[in-house]
Amino acid sequence: MPRLADHDARRRQITDAARRVIVRGGLEAATFQAVAAEAGISVRLVQYYFGTKKEFLLGTLKSVIDAMAFRFVEQFESLGAEPDPRFALRTIGRALLPLDEVRRDEAQVLAAYQAARLTGSQPLPSETLAPARLLVETLAEHIGRARGYSAGDDAPEKQAAIALDADLLSVVIPGLSQSVLSNFHTPERAAELLDHAIDRLLGPAERTSPREE
């Protein structure tokens, strides 16, 4: 009997190749031809799985986001049901910083898509912003817990302050990521600055190292 194609595996092969091409040459380098050559398959096969350039780029972006989300959830679940809020914030931040080669490549790919969004060279649908919005909500939850705030509390000014600080931290994390990619800061220095930012939001505390970086 002929062997059935593993469509998920083939899609991963293509998007993994696309990520490598984007890391080397940016989003504009990720043509069907370049990715097919990187994956060692035909252009027609790439087009079979991703009919248009838009579908192809969105599929690649989703593969990066899914990989980051899987790793993040795996790390975060290891902290337990009610992790210390400060420890949780540090874990979230470090999971998203380019502290190793895998995360550096992911950050470079995300930076390429962000540049395309800013220049309008490759319009992306609004749903690609969903992970960023989820990040803000998660940060707000842990900042609120650190300050003894409950979702049922009727304190609009406190809610507003927590939301503002969550937005601020959500901007600090990608800013630090960009500084590492540009070699302005080392990964170690970026991790120190993340800790400092959290201390400024919550007040200084005794250092404990995350179990997983």
Side-chain angles (χ1 to χ4, degrees):
M1 291 181 63
R3 185 177 179 180
L4 296 177
D6 185 337
H7 296 295
D8 288 340
R10 182 66 78 183
R11 282 178 173 272
R12 284 195 300 273
Q13 179 188 7
I14 294 169
T15 55
D16 285 351
R19 288 160 64 173
R20 294 193 297 273
V21 170
I22 292 170
V23 167
R24 291 198 303 266
L27 211 60
E28 63 278 3
T31 63
F32 280 142
Q33 292 80 4
V35 172
E38 178 71 23
I41 58 178
S42 68
V43 172
R44 181 173 295 181
L45 194 57
V46 177
Q47 292 173 324
Y48 172 79
Y49 283 97
F50 299 95
T52 67
K53 181 72 175 291
K54 180 179 178 180
E55 292 173 357
F56 168 65
L57 291 177
L58 284 176
T60 302
L61 177 59
K62 185 176 183 300
S63 75
V64 173
I65 292 173
D66 286 350
M68 295 176 72
F70 179 81
R71 185 179 61 248
F72 168 75
V73 169
E74 197 172 46
Q75 291 179 358
F76 202 73
E77 285 180 346
S78 71
L79 300 178
E82 290 290 332
D84 172 77
R86 187 187 305 269
F87 190 59
L89 290 172
R90 293 181 67 206
T91 300
I92 292 169
R94 288 171 181 247
L96 299 175
L97 289 179
L99 302 182
D100 57 33
E101 281 303 313
V102 171
R103 282 177 282 183
R104 186 181 181 91
D105 285 354
E106 290 171 347
Q108 284 187 260
V109 173
L110 293 182
Y113 279 88
Q114 178 64 7
R117 182 190 296 280
L118 292 175
T119 62
S121 61
Q122 183 61 52
L124 297 172
S126 59
E127 58 261 30
T128 59
L129 293 174
R133 296 191 180 104
L134 179 60
L135 173 64
V136 174
E137 292 174 6
T138 305
L139 295 174
E141 175 189 347
H142 295 297
I143 291 172
R145 287 200 306 117
R147 296 175 181 173
Y149 176 78
S150 169
D153 291 346
D154 186 16
E157 68 286 351
K158 198 168 185 179
Q159 292 184 48
I162 290 170
L164 194 63
D165 286 338
D167 272 334
L168 179 60
L169 191 55
S170 76
V171 173
V172 168
I173 294 169
L176 290 173
S177 179
Q178 288 295 312
S179 75
V180 174
L181 293 182
S182 62
N183 295 317
F184 185 76
H185 287 121
T186 64
E188 295 77 17
R189 182 59 172 168
E192 290 175 5
L193 290 171
L194 172 67
D195 291 345
H196 180 66
I198 294 171
D199 286 347
R200 293 296 296 267
L201 292 177
L202 304 184
E206 183 180 350
R207 287 276 182 265
T208 56
S209 297
R211 277 176 247 171
E212 188 70 41
E213 291 189 358

